[in-house]
Amino acid sequence: MRKSIILKVKIKVEGDVPPPDDFEQIAMQALKDILAAGSASRPQLKVTLKQSGEAPHDDTDTAEDAPAAPGK
């Protein structure tokens, strides 16, 4: 049975880069690389990045930001 789902995720990318570097571009490429590598482990599923962009900065950590438990 063919199924599909739209998942909403919030990803925080941190790292040390030289000041003139475009961190949004670096972070987006990292996300694309991570999705590509991860999708290789699940070839039966097609994963497509539908929308991306920088979200408003929020340094507060909430339960919503906590890592999901395996299998959730």
Side-chain angles (χ1 to χ4, degrees):
M1 173 185 282
R2 186 136 183 102
K3 296 181 179 185
S4 72
I5 187 169
I6 303 268
L7 300 173
K8 181 178 177 181
V9 299
K10 184 181 196 181
I11 297 172
K12 181 177 181 179
V13 178
E14 297 178 279
D16 295 317
V17 297
D21 287 351
D22 182 356
F23 191 66
E24 182 177 1
Q25 182 180 8
I26 292 168
M28 286 305 307
Q29 188 58 54
L31 175 59
K32 290 175 185 176
D33 294 345
I34 291 165
L35 288 174
S39 65
S41 70
R42 299 287 184 160
Q44 73 277 21
L45 300 175
K46 178 181 176 185
V47 177
T48 304
L49 180 61
K50 296 294 234 174
Q51 183 179 20
S52 62
E54 186 174 0
H57 191 70
D58 181 7
D59 278 335
T60 61
D61 286 326
T62 65
E64 178 179 294
D65 296 329
K72 297 263 177 168

